[in-house]
């Protein structure tokens, strides 16, 4: 609703909690261990409002730290609330400082909640001609809504924000006047605030009663018209109901010391914000929010101060020469040498070949090592000194230069140091240089030490060396038409940039090596993570062949099926419309078909039709299930069936996915371009995609080797539960065995349904599933689910002991470990907030199992490739997905590879139960699985 006087009132704590819980599964933590989720989310929300809504007036409203008048009315008010998470308590002072730096007014009045201050301000503002937007997800504020006081519900799960006026409130609560929301809430009560309401009368009945009788007062005047049960509840709880109505009524007469017209943001204090964002490590926010052209950047490097003048303008134009010239950058005292002549290269080689360890880094023309050209090599082996060797674009000339360093890089006796060194290994492979010898990757070293933090070079340089390196954007510009290629950069500038990377990486190596030794993680680093780099490089280089024709045919089949479902949807709707249009879909579902009453709307006054919204109402009409099925099909087509062929390398005809060692905090590998870990395998349509992955030639076949129930076997081993160990030792079907124990019956009497429930319990319990979660998963009552869990723990008592011990030890140490010593830190394990603590407790149970499974398959991969090399096997390991390895096998080597895969996977570690592997071969991945 356009207006020159547009006031936004932000409910501070509601937005802070919302921001914090949005990151609860993957919290933002800076290098000092500070959880910055709530601060980051709040600032993003604030920025979005300022940018998109452009309010003329704005204020942020806080609850006071002391009790309010409601506590005097009802001492138990909010008594059952969870403790505020420690991370939120620590975040609030920062959030207030940030708001102050924005020069936005803060409203906080002792004795009154934010609701009352906000309600009073909105009421006064309405009289003064403002349109006020109350920014909060709290339903209580609906009582304040009028033509000029609107509820602004923040965006969630990718859906746009929603704006509710009187119409939306009337629809949702089924009332004539938003003020009647007070009566509904008074009857209904509020468990989160410990407002008692009328016991036994919930949301639906409350809405129905107030819709019919108008108010609580009128209800008591018409008791004779109510059902006997409702009459009894109202009569027995009259005093409590009126108290509840009083508690949920938002005051509109709080004594304010500031007028709405004074609630204007002043000029942002850039320096204060900069200091705060630097401390919190909000780099992206700083670049986006704080105006450019800050003063020269001062950075200390091991006690030496230097200044880097920054570019004057974001829109800086390239120089007429076509070269990016950074030679004017002043840096700390250093010696960075340009190595151009054959004599220079010989001298550098002579120095490097005498060393036990040196750092090297590649500069390439792009981010795909397989197709990018090498631009140069940099070397370092002492702080503040490095050498840069430019490499020409011509392949033959480049190989001639690299020939001078090939014996050095392939020397088995010299350790090679790098940052994300797998990329450099792949970049050199193209030039027939095969890096060998022990490795030290600074990215992976830091990943082991701090798996939940970032690991890029700039970040590591800042936290370990207090140093801000030249960014790639400063060298070649930001993405866009004015960005340079690496070969277009002035030689002196690229020397400074490339040599600096090698220099910093060498300096980081010493610090990280000490930390690995001190923490006892050096063995895991040296024996698993570093040898695995070579394995993954070989896998990425080999790639896996893709049959485009199969996917093209499958695309036709799926599109035909999607068109059929689309027609069924149109038939049910009684009209044709654009299924891809949320606006049209919403109108059809909620206006014409009326599948539910009171549907939610977005900020732009469109109906919400997101997947999460539709899943909740899938049982209301069969058309909803059809729409979800249609969307699933379309997603399958766009994400995999049509996307995968575009990722095929034109030279090799294969997909060369990139395996990531430093992403998942559990230690598991992930993959990108494409993400093969996420190809659906649980339902038939998704599985069909695997048919397109085929052997490299007619004489080859695909072999899949999959660990059988490795996490359950690890649970048996780590918990030492005798019954579970015995089941595995007897080679029993563990799910059937579990069902038999829970139900106290013979193995042969276990039904398919019993086994299915036991399977869900087996895997759910190791992920810390609750009775509520299990009831939803199995579509059974919570009581039945609790009985199932209790039966499980009675059958496997040592499993419960293991879980309890893990949580206890995590509380004492702050981390849990895998069987190989990999650590997962759990900073929230002692939180007084049950939700936050519960997530940490589930991680304490599962992380050692998931992480141990990851360690085991990594060891197996290393041992398999060692065997391949030793026995001169030509077959290739090409994929790793979860607990499965896929090989492209020369048919004549099939039995040998099967034997090697089984031996190395089943004997990777020694457990108290056998590790077993399922093997399958076929002419495509699906057939082999």
């Amino acid at each position: 609703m356009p207006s020159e006087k547009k006031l936004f009132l932000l409910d501070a704590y509601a937005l802070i909690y919302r921001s914090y819980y949005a990151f609860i599964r993957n919290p933002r933590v800076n290098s000092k261990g500070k959880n910055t989720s709530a601060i980051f989310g709040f600032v993003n929300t604030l920025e979005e409002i300022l940018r998109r809504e452009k309010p003329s007036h704005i204020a942020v409203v806080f609850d006071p730290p002391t009790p309010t008048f409601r506590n005097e009315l009802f001492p138990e008010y909010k008594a059952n609330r969870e403790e505020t998470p420690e991370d939120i308590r620590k975040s609030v002072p920062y959030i207030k400082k940030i708001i102050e730096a924005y020069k936005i007014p803060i409203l906080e009045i002792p004795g009154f909640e934010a609701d009352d201050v906000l309600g009073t301000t909105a009421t006064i503002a309405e009289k003064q001609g403002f349109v006020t937007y109350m920014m909060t997800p709290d339903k209580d504020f609906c009582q304040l809504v009028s033509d000029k006081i609107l509820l602004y519900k923040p965006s969630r799960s990718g859906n746009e924000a929603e704006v509710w006026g009187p119409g939306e409130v009337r629809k949702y609560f089924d009332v004539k006047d938003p003020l009647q929301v007070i009566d509904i809430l008074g009857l209904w009560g509020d468990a989160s605030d410990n407002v008692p309401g009328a016991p036994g009368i919930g949301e639906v009945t409350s809405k129905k009663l107030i819709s019919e009788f108008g108010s609580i007062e009128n209800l008591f005047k018409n008791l004779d018209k109510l059902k006997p049960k409702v009459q009894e509840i109202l009569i027995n709880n009259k005093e409590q109901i009126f108290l509840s109505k009083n508690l949920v009524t938002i005051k509109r007469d709080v004594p304010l010391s500031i007028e709405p017209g004074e609630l204007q943001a002043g000029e942002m204090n850039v320096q204060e914000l900069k200091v705060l964002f630097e401390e919190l490590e909000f780099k992206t926010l700083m670049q986006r929010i704080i105006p450019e052209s800050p003063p020269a950047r001062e950075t200390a490097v091991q006690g030496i101060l230097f200044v880097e003048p920054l570019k004057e303008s974001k829109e800086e134009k390239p120089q007429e020469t076509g070269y990016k010239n950074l030679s004017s950058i002043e840096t700390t005292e250093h010696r960075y040498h340009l190595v151009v002549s054959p004599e220079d290269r010989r001298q550098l080689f002579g120095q490097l070949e005498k060393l036990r360890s040196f750092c090297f880094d590649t500069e390439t023309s792009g981010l795909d090592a397989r197709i990018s050209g090498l631009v140069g090599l940099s070397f370092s082996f002492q702080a503040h000194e490095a050498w840069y060797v430019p490499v020409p674009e011509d392949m033959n000339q480049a190989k001639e230069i690299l020939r001078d360093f090939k014996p050095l890089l392939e020397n088995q006796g010299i350790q090679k140091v790098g940052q994300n060194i797998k990329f450099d290994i792949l970049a050199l492979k193209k030039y027939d240089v095969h890096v060998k010898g022990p490795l030290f990757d600074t990215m992976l070293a830091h990943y082991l030490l701090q798996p939940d933090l970032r690991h890029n070079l700039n970040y590591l340089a800042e936290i370990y060396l207090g140093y801000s390196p030249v960014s790639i954007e400063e060298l070649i510009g930001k993405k866009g038409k004015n960005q340079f290629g690496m070969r277009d950069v002035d030689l002196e500038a690229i020397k400074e940039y490339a040599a600096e990377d090698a220099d910093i990486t060498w300096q980081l190596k010493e610090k990280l090596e000490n930390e690995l030794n001190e923490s006892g993680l050096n063995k895991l680093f040296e024996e698993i993570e570093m040898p695995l780099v070579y394995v993954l490089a070989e896998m990425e280089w080999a790639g896996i062949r893709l049959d485009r024709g199969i996917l093209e045919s499958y695309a036709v089949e799926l599109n035909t099926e999607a068109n059929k479902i689309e027609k069924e949807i149109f038939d049910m709707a009684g009209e044709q419309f654009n299924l891809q249009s949320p606006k049209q879909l919403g109108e059809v579902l909620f206006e014409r078909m009326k599948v539910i009453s009171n549907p939610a709307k977005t900020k732009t006054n469109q109906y919400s039709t997101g997947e999460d919204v539709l899943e909740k109402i899938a049982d209301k009409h069969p058309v909803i299930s059809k729409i979800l099925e249609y969307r699933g099909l379309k997603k399958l087509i766009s994400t995999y069936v049509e996307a995968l062929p575009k990722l095929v390398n034109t030279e090799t005809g294969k997909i060369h996915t990139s395996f990531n060692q430093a992403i998942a905090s559990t230690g598991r590998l992930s993959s990108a371009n494409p993400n093969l870990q996420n190809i659906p395998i649980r339902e038939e349509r998704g599985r069909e995609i695997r048919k397109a992955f085929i052997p490299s030639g007619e004489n080859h076949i695909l072999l899949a080797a999959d660990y059988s129930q490795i996490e359950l076997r690890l649970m048996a081993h780590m918990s030492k539960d005798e019954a579970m160990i015995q089941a595995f030792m007897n080679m029993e079907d563990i799910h059937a065995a579990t069902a038999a124990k829970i139900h106290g019956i013979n193995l042969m009497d276990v039904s398919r349904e019993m086994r299915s429930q036991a399977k869900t319990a087996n895997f759910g319990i190791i992920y810390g599933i609750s009775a509520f979660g299990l009831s939803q998963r199995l579509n059974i009552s919570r009581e039945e689910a609790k009985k199932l869990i209790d039966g499980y723990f009675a059958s496997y008592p040592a499993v419960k002991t293991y879980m309890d011990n893990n949580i206890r030890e995590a509380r004492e140490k702050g981390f849990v470990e895998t069987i190989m010593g990999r650590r997962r830190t759990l900073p929230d394990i002692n939180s007084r907030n049950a939700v936050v603590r519960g997530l940490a407790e589930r991680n304490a149970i599962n992380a050692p199992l998931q992480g141990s499974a990851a360690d085991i398959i990594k060891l197996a991969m290393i041992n398999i490739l060692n065997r391949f090399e030793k026995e001169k096997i030509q077959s290739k390991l090409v994929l790793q997905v979860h607990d499965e390895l896929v090989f492209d096998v020369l048919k004549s080597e099939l039995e040998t590879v099967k034997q090697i895969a089984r031996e190395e996977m089943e004997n990777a570690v020694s457990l108290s139960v056998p590790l077993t592997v399922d093997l399958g071969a076929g002419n495509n991945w699906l057939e082999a699985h």
Side-chain angles (χ1 to χ4, degrees):
M1 192 179 295
S3 171
E4 288 182 5
K5 296 169 74 174
K6 184 177 180 182
L7 170 62
F8 262 78
L9 297 174
L10 279 59
D11 182 0
Y13 276 102
L15 297 175
I16 290 167
Y17 268 84
R18 176 177 165 274
S19 299
Y20 176 73
Y21 283 106
F23 291 98
I24 193 69
R25 294 194 176 277
N26 188 21
R28 291 183 60 91
V29 181
N30 68 9
S31 61
K32 304 172 194 74
K34 183 189 295 295
N35 185 316
T36 60
S37 301
I39 311 169
F40 181 80
F42 183 88
V43 176
N44 264 318
T45 301
L46 180 61
E47 263 299 309
E48 187 179 355
I49 289 302
L50 294 174
R51 187 179 69 253
R52 291 181 58 177
E53 302 298 339
K54 297 180 172 53
S56 63
H57 297 70
I58 187 170
V60 183
V61 191
F62 280 85
D63 287 319
T66 51
T68 68
F69 74 92
R70 287 184 179 85
N71 298 99
E72 295 173 15
L73 280 175
F74 184 50
E76 290 80 25
Y77 180 65
K78 293 190 177 181
N80 61 354
R81 274 212 172 171
E82 291 282 356
E83 282 276 351
T84 301
E86 292 86 344
D87 290 320
I88 287 184
R89 275 210 310 274
K90 292 174 184 174
S91 298
V92 169
Y94 282 96
I95 290 170
K96 285 186 172 179
K97 285 179 185 175
I98 288 168
I99 297 167
E100 288 165 0
Y102 269 92
K103 299 300 181 187
I104 290 173
I106 291 175
L107 303 181
E108 183 181 309
I109 299 180
F112 298 95
E113 291 183 70
D115 305 30
D116 306 305
V117 177
L118 198 152
T120 302
T121 306
T123 302
I124 295 171
E126 181 180 31
K127 294 171 184 172
Q128 296 179 2
F130 283 87
V131 175
T132 301
Y133 293 83
M134 305 177 293
M135 189 169 183
T136 178
D138 190 344
K139 64 182 182 297
D140 294 16
F141 285 89
C142 289
Q143 64 186 269
L144 300 169
V145 168
S146 69
D147 289 336
K148 290 204 169 185
I149 300 176
L150 307 173
L151 185 71
Y152 190 103
K153 297 178 76 174
S155 58
R156 196 179 190 91
S157 303
N159 292 324
E160 286 196 27
E162 297 176 31
V163 175
W164 281 22
E168 285 79 11
V169 173
R170 285 194 289 263
K171 263 190 177 183
Y172 182 81
F173 285 97
D174 194 17
V175 291
K176 293 177 181 175
D177 187 331
L179 279 171
Q180 292 173 300
V181 171
I182 299 170
D183 296 272
I184 290 172
L185 297 175
L187 275 182
W188 179 5
D190 188 336
S192 65
D193 286 347
N194 201 32
V195 175
I201 295 181
E203 178 182 5
V204 175
T205 308
S206 298
K207 287 179 179 178
K208 186 179 176 184
L209 289 171
I210 299 305
S211 174
E212 186 176 349
F213 295 97
S215 69
I216 288 173
E217 288 79 1
N218 206 35
L219 263 181
F220 280 96
K221 291 176 184 175
N222 292 277
L223 288 172
D224 58 320
K225 296 178 183 176
L226 304 177
K227 292 178 181 178
K229 179 68 176 172
V230 175
Q231 279 185 39
E232 185 184 345
I233 291 172
L234 292 177
I235 292 167
N236 291 341
N237 296 281
K238 183 174 182 179
E239 187 178 338
Q240 178 175 299
I241 291 167
F242 279 100
L243 170 66
S244 296
K245 180 172 179 177
N246 202 353
L247 290 172
V248 299
T249 302
I250 295 175
K251 276 189 166 290
R252 299 181 184 227
D253 57 357
V254 174
L256 299 178
S257 59
I258 188 168
E259 285 287 315
E262 299 174 74
L263 301 177
Q264 289 178 300
E267 188 176 340
M268 181 193 298
N269 188 322
V270 171
Q271 196 53 41
E272 275 185 33
L273 266 185
K274 187 168 181 282
V275 169
L276 286 164
F277 285 176
E278 281 176 350
E279 181 182 349
L280 295 164
E281 297 171 13
F282 288 172
K283 286 191 171 182
T284 307
L285 274 177
M286 189 150 60
Q287 290 168 4
R288 194 172 80 229
I289 295 170
I290 296 178
E292 293 202 71
S293 306
R297 181 171 66 215
E298 295 187 356
T299 314
V301 182
Q302 297 188 348
I304 302 172
L305 186 70
F306 71 93
V307 177
E308 292 178 8
L310 298 182
K311 293 192 292 289
E312 288 186 4
S313 168
K314 182 178 180 180
E315 301 298 327
E316 182 183 47
K317 301 295 182 187
Q319 296 179 11
E320 290 182 9
T321 58
Y323 290 99
K324 194 79 169 174
N325 190 336
L326 297 185
S327 57
S328 62
I329 291 179
E330 298 174 34
T331 60
T332 185
E333 290 182 23
H334 66 263
R335 294 177 298 282
Y336 292 165
H337 312 281
L338 193 59
V339 181
V340 178
S341 69
E343 179 56 32
D344 289 342
R345 291 198 293 271
R346 276 194 295 274
Q347 283 187 15
L348 176 57
F349 180 91
Q351 287 181 278
L352 293 170
E353 70 171 344
K354 297 170 187 172
L355 302 172
R356 296 173 62 184
S357 176
F358 64 78
C359 173
F360 82 96
D361 183 47
T362 61
E363 299 302 331
T364 58
S365 59
L367 297 176
D368 186 333
R370 189 176 179 93
I371 62 174
S372 301
L374 196 65
V375 176
L377 271 174
S378 52
F379 297 90
S380 181
F381 52 87
Q382 56 192 37
H384 310 305
E385 186 164 20
W387 290 258
Y388 178 67
V389 183
V391 174
E393 191 169 0
D394 181 86
M395 179 66 80
N396 292 328
Q397 292 176 8
K399 282 184 175 180
E400 189 176 330
I401 288 172
L402 289 171
R403 207 172 289 127
D404 291 345
F405 298 97
K406 181 177 167 74
L408 185 73
L409 292 162
E410 294 182 352
N411 189 320
Q412 298 263 23
I414 302 177
Q415 182 190 56
K416 316 302 185 302
V417 178
Q419 164 78 11
N420 188 16
I421 204 167
K422 173 162 65 72
F423 180 91
D424 304 304
I425 290 169
L426 287 166
L428 290 171
K429 225 179 212 316
K430 185 176 178 179
Y431 293 82
D432 196 31
V433 175
H434 305 278
V435 177
K436 292 175 185 172
L439 300 175
F440 190 103
D441 190 323
T442 49
M443 177 184 77
L444 295 177
H446 188 254
Y447 165 70
L448 282 190
L449 292 163
Q450 298 286 353
D452 293 305
L453 300 186
R454 290 170 287 157
H455 317 292
N456 64 71
L457 187 65
N458 286 15
Y459 177 74
L460 296 181
E462 285 173 14
I463 63 172
Y464 281 96
L465 307 174
Y467 180 73
S468 294
V470 175
S471 70
I472 188 68
E473 287 81 10
E474 288 177 76
L475 191 71
I476 63 173
K478 294 183 178 179
K479 284 184 179 178
K481 61 182 181 180
N482 289 330
Q483 189 179 55
F484 285 86
M486 287 296 280
R487 291 197 186 278
D488 299 323
V489 178
D490 176 77
L491 190 56
E492 183 66 22
I494 197 172
K495 177 205 75 174
E496 291 291 307
Y497 173 83
E500 182 184 63
D501 276 0
D503 175 17
I504 290 169
T505 302
W506 178 257
Q507 292 182 55
L508 286 170
K509 186 248 184 180
E510 182 182 358
K511 293 182 178 294
L512 291 165
E513 192 169 39
N514 289 337
E515 283 196 21
L516 286 172
N517 290 331
E518 288 167 8
S519 61
L521 289 165
N522 52 318
K523 190 170 187 283
L524 178 66
F525 180 74
E526 291 163 9
E527 295 183 7
I528 295 184
E529 295 299 344
M530 287 304 93
L532 188 68
V533 171
Y534 284 122
V535 176
L536 298 180
E538 288 297 321
M539 290 167 67
E540 290 182 23
W541 189 260
I544 186 166
R545 193 171 159 212
L546 193 80
D547 189 325
R548 295 190 193 192
I550 287 176
L551 287 180
E552 285 167 5
S553 300
Y554 195 37
V556 172
E557 181 185 327
L558 291 182
N559 277 309
T560 302
E561 197 172 347
N563 292 338
K564 180 174 171 248
I565 294 170
E566 183 181 53
K567 186 177 182 305
E568 290 174 3
I569 292 168
F570 292 160
D571 289 344
M572 288 182 186
E575 64 178 291
Q576 290 192 11
F577 59 96
N578 182 0
L579 258 175
Q580 308 296 332
S581 165
K583 183 176 185 294
Q584 291 185 33
L585 177 61
E587 288 169 355
V588 169
L589 289 179
F590 304 123
E591 289 182 7
R592 299 201 260 289
M593 297 183 73
K594 299 189 184 302
V595 295
I596 59 166
S597 58
N598 302 321
K601 282 193 173 184
T602 67
K603 170 178 163 279
T604 54
N605 210 32
Q606 291 184 21
Y607 293 104
S608 297
T609 57
E611 193 168 328
D612 56 332
V613 173
L614 295 186
E615 280 176 350
K616 288 175 186 173
I617 59 170
D619 60 337
K620 302 299 181 185
H621 195 288
V623 74
I624 305 293
S625 297
K626 286 291 178 185
I627 291 165
L628 289 169
E629 187 180 5
Y630 175 83
R631 285 183 174 177
L633 267 173
K634 283 294 188 181
K635 185 176 180 181
L636 203 62
I637 293 165
S638 62
T639 308
Y640 296 106
V641 181
E642 292 179 347
L644 286 172
K646 295 173 185 174
L647 295 171
V648 172
N649 184 295
T650 52
E651 291 180 13
T652 66
K654 295 179 179 180
I655 278 183
H656 299 268
T657 190
S658 177
F659 291 98
N660 303 313
Q661 275 175 272
I663 300 290
S665 52
T666 57
R668 282 192 177 274
L669 294 172
S670 64
S671 63
N673 299 319
N675 180 356
L676 298 177
Q677 316 281 342
N678 280 356
I679 291 180
I681 58 170
R682 297 187 190 280
E683 52 99 20
E684 190 176 344
R685 286 177 183 144
R687 283 196 297 272
E688 285 291 305
I689 293 169
R690 292 190 171 204
K691 278 186 180 176
F693 292 84
I694 59 173
S696 56
E698 290 182 5
N699 296 325
H700 289 249
I701 192 167
L702 290 188
L703 173 70
D706 196 0
Y707 274 119
S708 173
Q709 301 160 341
I710 188 169
E711 288 186 18
L712 288 177
R713 292 171 191 273
L714 282 163
M715 175 61 92
H717 170 78
M718 295 168 87
S719 70
K720 300 180 176 61
D721 188 277
E722 291 180 9
M724 191 176 278
I725 289 171
Q726 198 59 48
F728 279 120
M729 295 302 288
N730 293 342
M731 305 297 283
E732 293 174 5
D733 175 341
I734 188 64
H735 304 311
T738 299
K741 284 196 168 294
I742 290 173
H743 294 285
I745 58 177
N746 290 326
L747 201 59
M748 57 181 10
D749 295 327
V750 171
S751 68
R752 181 180 295 180
E753 184 185 11
M754 287 177 182
R755 183 188 182 278
S756 177
Q757 285 190 346
K759 181 177 180 179
T760 303
N762 267 327
F763 288 115
I765 284 168
I766 66 174
Y767 282 90
I769 199 167
S770 64
F772 175 73
L774 191 61
S775 69
Q776 288 197 315
R777 192 91 54 93
L778 292 173
N779 198 23
I780 59 177
S781 70
R782 203 178 301 188
E783 291 73 24
E784 288 176 283
K786 186 179 183 306
K787 188 177 176 184
L788 192 60
I789 291 173
D790 290 343
Y792 185 95
F793 287 136
S795 303
Y796 302 126
V799 170
K800 183 70 168 72
T801 304
Y802 163 81
M803 293 165 72
D804 292 342
N805 287 345
N806 260 31
I807 292 169
R808 191 189 69 251
E809 288 179 19
R811 286 189 181 132
E812 292 169 3
K813 297 178 182 176
F815 62 86
V816 288
E817 291 181 299
T818 68
I819 56 176
M820 307 289 183
R822 184 185 302 277
R823 290 183 181 177
R824 175 77 189 273
T825 53
L826 300 167
D828 295 322
I829 194 69
N830 291 307
S831 173
R832 283 177 286 183
N833 182 277
V835 176
V836 177
R837 186 176 65 250
L839 180 60
E841 287 173 353
R842 289 193 291 278
N843 282 332
I845 295 163
N846 183 249
L849 300 171
Q850 265 203 15
S852 294
D855 292 341
I856 288 169
I857 201 164
K858 286 177 177 179
L859 263 179
M861 292 163 73
I862 294 162
N863 294 339
I864 287 168
L865 257 71
N866 286 341
R867 285 277 299 275
F868 278 13
E869 193 173 324
K870 184 179 177 182
E871 298 179 31
K872 296 185 169 46
I873 299 294
Q874 295 178 57
S875 301
K876 302 286 184 187
L877 172 59
V878 291
L879 289 182
Q880 188 273 343
V881 179
H882 305 305
D883 302 320
E884 177 184 3
L885 300 179
V886 180
F887 301 84
D888 189 325
V889 181
L890 199 62
K891 287 179 180 177
S892 59
E893 295 179 341
L894 180 59
E895 293 309 313
T896 305
V897 173
K898 275 185 177 180
Q899 183 182 348
I900 292 172
R902 188 181 295 280
E903 287 175 1
E904 297 304 337
M905 289 178 76
E906 292 186 347
N907 296 299
V909 294
S910 178
L911 302 179
S912 53
V913 296
L915 283 173
T916 62
V917 173
D918 297 324
L919 294 169
N923 292 316
N924 60 62
W925 188 8
L926 181 63
E927 202 176 285
H929 195 262

